[in-house]
Amino acid sequence: MTALLGTAALASGLVLALTSLAAWVGVATGRATAGSARRLTYAVLGAAVAAAVVLEWALLTHDFSVRYVAENGGRAVPLYYTVTSLWSALEGSLLLWLVVLSGYAAAVARRPDPRAARHHPWVLVTLSVVAAFFFALALFGGNAFELVSPAPADGPGPNPLLQDNPLMGAHPPLLYLGYVGLAVPFAYAVAALVTGDTGRGWLLAVRRWTLVAWTFLTVGIVLGAWWSYAVLGWGGYWAWDPVENASLLPWLTATALLHSAMVQERRATLRVWNVCLAVASFVLVLVGTFLTRSGIVDSVHAFSRSSLGALLLGFVAVVLTTVAALLVWRADRLGPDGTLHARLSRETVFLGNNVLLVGLAFTVLLGTLFPVFAQLADGSQVSVGPPYFNQMAAPVALVVLLLMALGPLVSWGSDSVPALARRVATPAAVAVALVALLVALGVHGAAALTAFGLAALVLATSLQLVGQGARVVRRATGRSWPGALLEAGRRRRRLYGGLVVHVGVALAAVAVAASSSFATATEQRVAVGERVAAAGWTAQLESVERERTAQEMRVVAQLTLEEAGRERGTAAPELRTFPAHSITVASPAVRSTLAGDVYLTVTEVDPDGGWALIRIAVNPMVSWLWIAGGVMALGAAVAGWPARRARREPDVAEEPVPALAPGEP
């Protein structure tokens, strides 16, 4: 019965999505009303939720007649990880995809933007097409409700790596909210091509939905890095794994879109470019979905090999062909763009930022897909590792940091080098002074020092602009400094939100530069009572303990920690073996402070418990990477907070709006 209900929900969702598609076409052509089409969109969401609820019920009730439960459920799995098992494997994750996509479609249908009324029905047409494809994929390509006979008495549970950290309940849903959310800007791009309208209403809608998706995607990526760091035991947080790259690619193009949208908002230019960025972001989402679900790449994050790859690749081809045809059809109504006359302006800085971000995305995409192309060409096994990505990405990232610092200081329209030099003098002096201080303290490494200096430049620039804005408001209103600061932030919410995001990126750059350049590690076989040391920390092996449960065999190395001769507590890294999955996981013990982490793993033990192979690493400033993710999300929330509340304040329009930066209108 459970399998029948689930399959019926998916079939109903497919039929409803197709019906919704026809209804929204009717609305777009004036042959139907939006009310019935909207209710159909809600019904699509209901079908997706119903399918997910049915599978969740099957997991919770241990209905092992359902193949997905038989392969990913288990009686010994804790309740929390039983719930999260819904998205722990390929077929269940498709249901999460559908719930998120249908939820976005329902949100768009419920609150149409009056400024983009022409686009609204075509946006829903596009989202209905995407929903119909994924319902078909979930029904015919990866049906989670297939039956297995005879039904086993128990299941192995999800992959052990997916039941070892509470972030399993947050990271995938947030990542999907960001990933799938980019379908909405894509739908607006298609609507723009159909209507030939890329006006202000369209632009504001695209920016708002892109910012929503970007925020979720940022948090999802950072939480994924945190999870990798805390669970996988290899000591890092980003390995340039193909699936990791798949999440980064649309983030880069969406970041470029958020900046180029501001240029179009000021000047009638970059319209086709913005349409292409919105399309590219979603196409990269589809490519990432293909990489994750085709089994074509070897990744710890990928699902098992399946037949979905060809279907997803075909859908990517259909999307690209359709968009190309629409571009040709509407070429006369989309251009020509206005030109950027000034060599130095905020528009040109943002354009440079766009070129770098898109170039970086192409570089990462090329490195990610090259092994796939090589295998398809002649069957050779080629791998592209971190050295390629680091060498290609690091210089570009440093230039992006520089533009991030200079951009808010440059005027819109036109600016001059001497004027910009005066504005940047103080932040530049701060950055140079910091680098000089670090060199005096013995810090070395050109790349790391450059990153620290540019991050300081970004931070100093942001503080300078915030201070200027507060000072202007204070002079105009006589408020206290805290009050003036809050008022300036309220009035220039988008600018201040963007500056907070920049601060988050600068903090992330510092964390990455410090942890990748100055980490120290030692791996050593130590007997009970002996010590291993790194960067002033020592770990003494007190004992090796073993434990066996129904699911796993666990070996725990009990360690006492000292820093410069002072006791710093204990740590217990583990070596866990899961016989049902034939997998062994080195679960680390991490002692975190703002200054750095002590990261301990055990990778081998004496069968008699006399010794253990212990790795101790001291990773500077890693915690700042997680903080940076929160700061970026906070800034995005500030920038994207609806302006309606501000407009309701009767006194706002009467007060002068301060210019926070030279050149701000």
Side-chain angles (χ1 to χ4, degrees):
M1 179 59 76
T2 302
L4 184 61
L5 287 175
T7 301
L10 289 176
S12 301
L14 175 59
V15 172
L16 287 167
L18 292 172
T19 310
S20 172
L21 164 62
W24 283 112
V25 170
V27 174
T29 55
R31 290 177 295 182
T33 61
S36 57
R38 189 178 301 116
R39 286 189 287 275
L40 282 168
T41 302
Y42 296 158
V44 173
L45 172 61
V49 171
V53 168
V54 170
L55 184 58
E56 195 67 81
W57 177 255
L59 286 163
L60 291 170
T61 57
H62 306 304
D63 185 352
F64 296 110
S65 66
V66 177
R67 182 181 298 279
Y68 186 87
V69 181
E71 294 176 351
N72 302 284
R75 298 185 186 279
V77 178
L79 176 62
Y80 179 76
Y81 293 109
T82 296
V83 173
T84 61
S85 297
L86 177 69
W87 49 81
S88 66
L90 188 148
E91 296 86 354
S93 71
L94 279 178
L95 300 189
L96 181 60
W97 233 98
L98 281 170
V99 170
V100 174
L101 176 64
S102 304
Y104 272 115
V108 173
R110 184 174 184 273
R111 301 193 65 177
D113 191 332
R115 295 167 298 186
R118 290 184 64 196
H119 306 89
H120 187 251
W122 291 111
V123 171
L124 270 303
V125 167
T126 307
L127 290 175
S128 298
V129 170
V130 178
F133 170 75
F134 275 93
F135 267 111
L137 202 65
L139 182 61
F140 303 115
N143 192 337
F145 301 101
E146 285 185 357
L147 293 173
V148 59
S149 180
D154 199 354
N159 187 312
L161 295 175
L162 304 181
Q163 50 176 315
D164 194 44
N165 193 295
L167 286 177
M168 179 62 186
H171 162 57
L174 287 171
L175 198 66
Y176 276 56
L177 282 168
Y179 220 52
V180 182
L182 289 172
V184 181
F186 163 74
Y188 271 98
V190 173
L193 292 173
V194 172
T195 61
D197 180 1
T198 55
R200 179 177 175 80
W202 173 82
L203 187 67
L204 293 177
V206 167
R207 178 188 172 277
R208 182 175 67 250
W209 286 106
T210 304
L211 189 58
V212 169
W214 184 92
T215 305
F216 283 123
L217 190 55
T218 300
V219 178
I221 290 173
V222 173
L223 288 183
W226 193 357
W227 188 5
S228 175
Y229 184 72
V231 171
L232 298 184
W234 63 286
Y237 43 79
W238 192 266
W240 294 106
D241 177 275
V243 177
E244 291 176 347
N245 296 347
S247 67
L248 178 64
L249 289 168
W251 186 89
L252 292 170
T253 52
T255 304
L257 175 57
L258 289 172
H259 286 82
S260 58
M262 285 188 278
V263 176
Q264 184 182 341
E265 201 173 340
R266 301 276 178 163
R267 305 281 182 271
T269 187
L270 301 183
R271 288 178 293 180
V272 176
W273 175 254
N274 286 329
V275 168
C276 291
L277 281 179
V279 171
S281 297
F282 185 62
V283 168
L284 289 171
V285 166
L286 294 176
V287 170
T289 307
F290 160 73
L291 291 175
T292 311
R293 288 167 173 78
S294 64
I296 199 167
V297 296
D298 185 17
S299 166
V300 69
H301 305 285
F303 295 113
S304 58
R305 184 174 292 274
S306 76
S307 59
L308 301 186
L311 299 173
L312 286 164
L313 211 54
F315 190 60
V316 171
V318 169
V319 167
L320 290 175
T321 304
T322 303
V323 169
L326 288 173
L327 274 170
V328 172
W329 178 42
R330 288 301 192 188
D332 59 328
R333 298 183 63 171
L334 295 175
D337 275 347
T339 56
L340 302 178
H341 298 289
R343 292 183 178 179
L344 179 61
S345 65
R346 193 175 297 187
E347 294 93 321
T348 55
V349 173
F350 280 8
L351 186 58
N353 157 296
N354 262 237
V355 171
L356 290 171
L357 289 172
V358 172
L360 182 57
F362 178 77
T363 302
V364 175
L365 180 65
L366 184 63
T368 304
L369 294 181
F370 185 77
V372 178
F373 294 146
Q375 186 175 6
L376 293 176
D378 57 11
S380 60
Q381 299 291 326
V382 178
S383 64
V384 179
Y388 162 82
F389 292 105
N390 291 335
Q391 290 176 13
M392 299 297 289
V396 177
L398 292 176
V399 179
V400 169
L401 266 182
L402 176 62
L403 294 182
M404 193 186 303
L406 297 181
L409 293 177
V410 182
S411 299
W412 290 105
S414 178
D415 208 335
S416 65
V417 173
L420 176 61
R422 287 194 296 275
R423 294 172 207 137
V424 82
T426 302
V430 172
V432 170
L434 175 69
V435 172
L437 176 63
L438 291 174
V439 171
L441 292 174
V443 177
H444 54 82
L449 287 171
T450 304
F452 293 154
L454 291 174
L457 188 63
V458 173
L459 293 170
T461 299
S462 302
L463 289 175
Q464 176 175 287
L465 291 173
V466 170
Q468 284 179 353
R471 186 168 60 250
V472 171
V473 171
R474 181 177 161 79
R475 287 175 180 171
T477 64
R479 300 187 183 204
S480 64
W481 276 107
L485 181 63
L486 290 174
E487 180 62 16
R490 187 180 69 83
R491 295 180 182 187
R492 292 286 179 165
R493 181 180 37 77
R494 282 179 56 177
L495 175 62
Y496 274 62
L499 292 176
V500 173
V501 172
H502 286 188
V503 168
V505 175
L507 293 177
V510 170
V512 171
S515 59
S516 60
S517 302
F518 306 114
T520 304
T522 302
E523 187 174 54
Q524 183 178 321
R525 177 183 292 187
V526 293
V528 173
E530 291 183 344
R531 297 183 172 194
V532 58
W537 284 84
T538 60
Q540 177 170 309
L541 181 62
E542 301 295 343
S543 64
V544 177
E545 301 172 358
R546 295 176 182 275
E547 181 182 351
R548 186 182 185 105
T549 67
Q551 282 191 307
E552 63 178 300
M553 294 180 291
R554 179 178 299 186
V555 180
V556 184
Q558 296 290 352
L559 303 166
T560 55
L561 296 176
E562 290 185 1
E563 180 187 20
R566 300 180 64 178
E567 292 188 1
R568 295 298 187 187
T570 62
E574 301 175 347
L575 197 60
R576 305 170 66 187
T577 301
F578 298 84
H581 296 271
S582 302
I583 186 173
T584 299
V585 180
S587 298
V590 186
R591 186 181 189 280
S592 295
T593 67
L594 291 179
D597 291 359
V598 181
Y599 193 98
L600 296 131
T601 52
V602 54
T603 54
E604 186 180 353
V605 296
D606 176 22
D608 298 325
W611 56 265
L613 188 60
I614 302 294
R615 184 179 186 274
I616 177 172
V618 179
N619 303 324
M621 304 187 72
V622 173
S623 296
W624 287 98
L625 187 57
W626 324 134
I627 295 172
V631 173
M632 284 191 277
L634 174 64
V638 171
W641 196 260
R644 187 177 304 169
R645 296 184 178 183
R647 288 199 297 267
R648 287 175 178 171
E649 297 291 339
D651 58 334
V652 171
E654 300 170 1
E655 296 184 2
V657 177
L660 300 184
E664 279 285 318

